[in-house]
Amino acid sequence: MIGGTNMGEGFEMDSYEPIKEDKDEPNVDTLPGLGTDSEKKEEEEENNTVAEENTSDEISSPKAYMCNDCKTTFLASEADLASYCIYCGGRNISTTSETSYEDYKVVPFAINMDEAFKVFRKKIGLNPLVPFSYRSPSVKNKMRKVLIPCTLYHIDADGEVTFLGADKIAKVQGVPMQTFESNYDAHFEYSQLLSSGYSKLGDDVISNINDYDFLKEVSFNTKSLRDIYCIYRDIDEKTGVENVKQKITKHSVGIVRSNVGHDLKKLKENRLSINFLSTRHFFIPAYMLNLNYKGKEYLILINGQTGKSVINVPISSGSIAAFSIVTFIAIFLLSILIAHFL
C-alpha cells in the first residue's frame, strides 16, 4: 500500500484546520483623555469630521471594469485605478457588469507598499546585470495592491493503480524480456491545495508565493477596496475542478510509478477515485508589478501577507557591457599591483 501527504512542488502539506474568528479587542490607547469642556468640544468636533471622512470613503462603491486588450476583469474603487489594466497596462478599459463574491473570504494584507518595494529592491540589489531603469525609485509608483481569486481544496485520492514493468538487463543479456504486472493500493490526502482562479497568474506562479495563513481570513467587502484592485476569476468552477483532478491524478500516479521496482514502467490501469472533502474560495493579497523591457513584460509578484516573491527581471546588454568593463579594469589593476610587488 502506498500513501502519504507528499504533495510535490506547488502543494501545501499542512493539515487543514477549521477557521478561527478573530475578535476585535478595544484599544485603550485610542480612548479620549480627560480635559476641559472646550477641549472636549474641540475633540468631539474633530472626531465627527474624521467620521464623516471615513463614511465618505466607505460609500465610494467600486465599479467593475474590463480590459479589452487582455480581457482581465477587475473591481476598482477610484478613477485612477481604473484608468489602465493591472495586468497588461493597456488603456482600452470599459465598464462591465459586477459579479457577486459573497462566498469568498479574504486573506488581509499584512505588509505595506514600502515593505513590498524593499523586497523587490533587495532581490535585484545584488544583481549587476539588471537594467538601470529597474533601480529607479519611480518603479514603486507602478506597483499595485491586488486581490487574486483562488480556491483552497482538501482532497482525498484513493484506489488501485496497475503498472507493467520490465528490466533492461534482460535485453542486454540477450534473453527474452519478461513483463511483470504490479498492483498498488494507493491513498493520498492533499490538504490546503491552492488553485488560482485567474488564468494569467496560474498555479505555477501562485505556488511560488504561497505561504499564506488562511486562519487569518476576513469576510469579503467591496467597500474596503480603497487603493486595491480586485481581480475577477476567469476560470469557472467546473473547469477549475477538472484542472485540479488532472493534477492530483498525475501527481499521485507519479508517486506510484516511482515505487515500481523495474527499469521500464508503463501504466496499465488507473482506478484512483478523487474525492473533494472541502472547497473554499479566497482572495489572496499580493503586490503586482509588470515592467516592460524591450517590448516584453516581466512579472513581479509579492505575497501581501509574508513578502514571499516571484521576481522575473531581464538581463540588460548595457549592464553586461558596463559590468564587463568594470571587471576587466579591476583585474587589470590587480595584475599590475601583483606584478609590482613581486
Side-chain angles (χ1 to χ4, degrees):
M1 178 174 179
I2 298 174
T5 57
N6 182 9
M7 308 306 174
E9 183 176 353
F11 294 91
E12 278 293 320
M13 292 188 288
D14 298 336
S15 60
Y16 186 77
E17 299 179 2
I19 300 301
K20 300 176 182 178
E21 295 185 0
D22 293 332
K23 295 183 178 181
D24 295 332
E25 297 291 340
N27 185 354
V28 295
D29 293 333
T30 61
L31 295 177
L34 298 177
T36 63
D37 292 340
S38 59
E39 288 174 341
K40 290 181 180 180
K41 185 176 181 180
E42 289 177 3
E43 184 177 353
E44 185 177 346
E45 291 176 353
E46 182 178 348
N47 290 339
N48 289 338
T49 303
V50 172
E52 290 175 2
E53 291 175 353
N54 291 338
T55 303
S56 177
D57 289 340
E58 291 179 357
I59 62 175
S60 179
S61 299
K63 294 182 180 179
Y65 300 87
M66 185 180 75
C67 174
N68 296 303
D69 295 327
C70 73
K71 305 306 179 185
T72 293
T73 307
F74 57 91
L75 276 174
S77 62
E78 297 181 10
D80 60 327
L81 292 181
S83 62
Y84 63 91
C85 175
I86 182 59
Y87 184 78
C88 72
R91 298 278 179 177
N92 188 10
I93 304 294
S94 60
T95 56
T96 186
S97 57
E98 294 187 22
T99 302
S100 174
Y101 287 103
E102 293 180 356
D103 60 334
Y104 272 65
K105 298 295 183 179
V106 178
V107 178
F109 281 87
I111 65 174
N112 59 35
M113 183 75 74
D114 290 334
E115 292 169 324
F117 190 63
K118 285 180 181 178
V119 172
F120 169 68
R121 293 295 296 270
K122 184 177 180 180
K123 285 293 181 87
I124 69 170
L126 298 178
N127 189 344
L129 305 182
V130 172
F132 297 115
S133 59
Y134 276 48
R135 303 182 186 279
S136 170
S138 63
V139 170
K140 180 181 175 182
N141 298 329
K142 300 178 181 179
M143 185 174 283
R144 292 292 181 263
K145 297 171 71 173
V146 298
L147 292 176
I148 304 169
C150 292
T151 302
L152 191 68
Y153 296 101
H154 186 186
I155 299 172
D156 176 88
D158 186 77
E160 282 191 357
V161 181
T162 303
F163 267 91
L164 298 178
D167 298 305
K168 293 180 180 178
I169 189 66
K171 186 175 182 180
V172 174
Q173 294 175 346
V175 298
M177 185 176 293
Q178 187 176 0
T179 301
F180 302 90
E181 181 174 303
S182 302
N183 294 314
Y184 297 87
D185 184 14
H187 176 79
F188 301 95
E189 184 175 357
Y190 296 82
S191 61
Q192 292 202 358
L193 172 57
L194 190 66
S195 182
S196 175
Y198 178 52
S199 60
K200 294 176 177 58
L201 298 176
D203 291 349
D204 54 337
V205 175
I206 296 301
S207 65
N208 286 325
I209 67 167
N210 179 25
D211 57 356
Y212 290 99
D213 182 357
F214 293 97
L215 295 178
K216 296 185 181 299
E217 67 168 47
V218 297
S219 298
F220 178 65
N221 183 359
T222 58
K223 293 183 179 180
S224 63
L225 292 179
R226 184 177 182 184
D227 299 327
I228 301 175
Y229 285 91
C230 180
I231 301 175
Y232 277 5
R233 70 179 300 136
D234 60 2
I235 301 175
D236 63 78
E237 190 163 350
K238 183 179 179 180
T239 301
V241 167
E242 289 303 315
N243 291 341
V244 169
K245 279 185 177 180
Q246 291 177 16
K247 290 179 181 180
I248 292 295
T249 300
K250 182 179 179 180
H251 186 262
S252 300
V253 171
I255 294 176
V256 175
R257 179 189 293 273
S258 67
N259 284 271
V260 177
H262 299 281
D263 300 325
L264 305 176
K265 311 167 187 180
K266 181 179 179 180
L267 178 65
K268 180 181 179 181
E269 189 174 3
N270 171 28
R271 294 180 295 279
L272 278 176
S273 175
I274 309 299
N275 306 304
F276 287 76
L277 304 180
S278 69
T279 301
R280 306 189 70 219
H281 300 299
F282 282 89
F283 281 112
I284 57 173
Y287 290 90
M288 189 163 73
L289 180 62
N290 260 340
L291 294 177
N292 186 289
Y293 182 73
K294 294 186 176 180
K296 185 177 179 180
E297 297 290 333
Y298 292 86
L299 174 69
I300 291 91
L301 195 65
I302 300 170
N303 184 316
Q305 187 183 51
T306 66
K308 190 176 182 181
S309 62
V310 174
I311 297 180
N312 299 314
V313 293
I315 301 300
S316 166
S317 56
S319 297
I320 292 175
F323 181 71
S324 301
I325 292 171
V326 171
T327 303
F328 173 78
I329 293 174
I331 294 174
F332 177 72
L333 293 176
L334 182 62
S335 63
I336 291 178
L337 289 173
I338 294 173
H340 176 73
F341 287 105
L342 291 179

